[in-house]
Amino acid sequence: MKHLPICGRPTFIEITPRRGKCEDCDGGATTTQQANWYERNSEYTKAYEKHAVISLIHSTIADVAIKEDLSCAAVQGIIDRHVVTEVNWDQIKKIGLLGIDEISLKKGFRDFVTVLTAKTEAEVQMLGVLKGREKATVTAFLKTMPKRLRRTISAVCTDMYEGFINGAREALGQDIPVIIDRFHVAQLYRKGFVQIRKSELKRLQKELSREEYQRLKPAIAVLLLRQ
């Protein structure tokens, strides 16, 4: 089964679970050893599946499939297996930075799931994957978080979707700061620079000669992108 990469190299684990036979049971029933780091008949370890889901944040199924050398159907299957409505909070010691991100499962930003993560100094831990991105779904999930963990939240990091922002404030209170993911902020200001570049080039094309315009065009594009 596929495991987390080591030094950038794909890693696979081969395991032959022990089998036991109960001589005191009718028919001599057998049982197979089961470890907690993988699911029976799965092609991936639990750690690798969580790694794949987290990789989908700010990316697409197709991109992750190429990067991880998986089929899109395999990535979709991993997502489906991790969709939950509740989490065993007893296994979580600390939240730190609570991340709320959406993943579009289809082109054109349709059919969403919401990924919730906890980022501490040590690691990024996946808390759960929720079907859809509705405020009510996110709010209901966060309200199940015990008070001991709410006290460990330093901030909530999300995009500018009001459903996530309002859902976090309703479930966790107004005292926990909500910050906007820098990925989405960067998208906005880059969009502005692209619009400025296009408008300036269009203006200069009218005002300058063809030779002057062709000479200045690369320099203007580079200058604006450096801002």
Side-chain angles (χ1 to χ4, degrees):
M1 65 187 72
K2 195 168 186 177
H3 189 46
L4 295 173
I6 297 178
C7 297
R9 299 283 186 176
T11 304
F12 296 86
I13 297 177
E14 291 187 5
I15 180 173
T16 303
R18 293 182 177 181
R19 290 181 60 82
K21 182 177 181 180
C22 179
E23 296 182 354
D24 297 325
C25 297
D26 294 339
T30 60
T31 184
T32 303
Q33 180 186 25
Q34 178 68 46
N36 61 3
W37 50 270
Y38 73 95
E39 295 289 349
R40 186 175 297 178
N41 300 322
S42 175
E43 298 180 45
Y44 319 102
T45 64
K46 291 182 179 180
Y48 179 78
E49 289 199 346
K50 291 181 179 180
H51 158 77
V53 172
I54 292 175
S55 297
L56 284 161
I57 298 175
H58 303 155
S59 190
T60 65
I61 289 179
D63 290 339
V64 172
I66 294 171
K67 179 182 176 182
E68 299 293 333
D69 194 23
L70 301 172
S71 67
C72 290
V75 178
Q76 180 68 64
I78 291 173
I79 295 172
D80 292 341
R81 285 193 291 276
H82 284 271
V83 171
V84 299
T85 55
E86 58 183 25
V87 63
N88 183 1
W89 296 111
D90 292 338
Q91 297 180 351
I92 310 297
K93 296 181 179 179
K94 182 180 178 180
I95 298 296
L97 183 63
L98 175 64
I100 309 176
D101 298 274
E102 64 185 22
I103 298 172
S104 177
L105 303 182
K106 296 180 181 179
K107 292 182 179 180
F109 298 98
R110 295 178 293 120
D111 195 6
F112 291 93
V113 295
T114 301
V115 180
L116 293 98
T117 56
K119 183 178 181 181
T120 61
E121 297 84 358
E123 62 178 350
V124 176
Q125 185 174 3
M126 190 177 71
L127 300 177
V129 179
L130 309 180
K131 192 68 174 177
R133 61 168 185 167
E134 290 72 23
K135 172 195 167 186
T137 304
V138 175
T139 303
F141 180 84
L142 292 177
K143 282 185 175 180
T144 66
M145 184 185 296
K147 291 183 179 180
R148 67 170 183 87
L149 286 177
R150 296 186 190 187
R151 289 192 290 267
T152 68
I153 299 176
S154 59
V156 177
C157 182
T158 182
D159 58 21
M160 286 170 278
Y161 174 49
E162 291 186 358
F164 291 164
I165 296 173
N166 295 333
R169 285 174 172 166
E170 182 177 325
L172 305 174
Q174 300 291 328
D175 295 334
I176 297 177
V178 176
I179 58 179
I180 303 301
D181 191 322
R182 62 181 181 180
F183 173 84
H184 296 90
V185 175
Q187 275 187 327
L188 282 182
Y189 74 67
R190 284 172 186 160
K191 182 179 180 180
F193 280 126
V194 169
Q195 291 173 342
I196 294 173
R197 177 178 63 83
K198 289 180 178 180
S199 63
E200 283 299 294
L201 289 174
K202 189 175 182 179
R203 179 181 65 84
L204 291 172
Q205 191 174 25
K206 294 179 180 180
E207 297 179 0
L208 301 176
S209 66
R210 182 176 180 181
E211 291 73 17
E212 289 176 316
Y213 175 76
Q214 291 298 330
R215 186 168 63 252
L216 286 175
K217 182 179 178 180
I220 294 173
V222 172
L223 180 62
L224 288 172
L225 288 173
R226 285 179 178 176
Q227 299 303 311

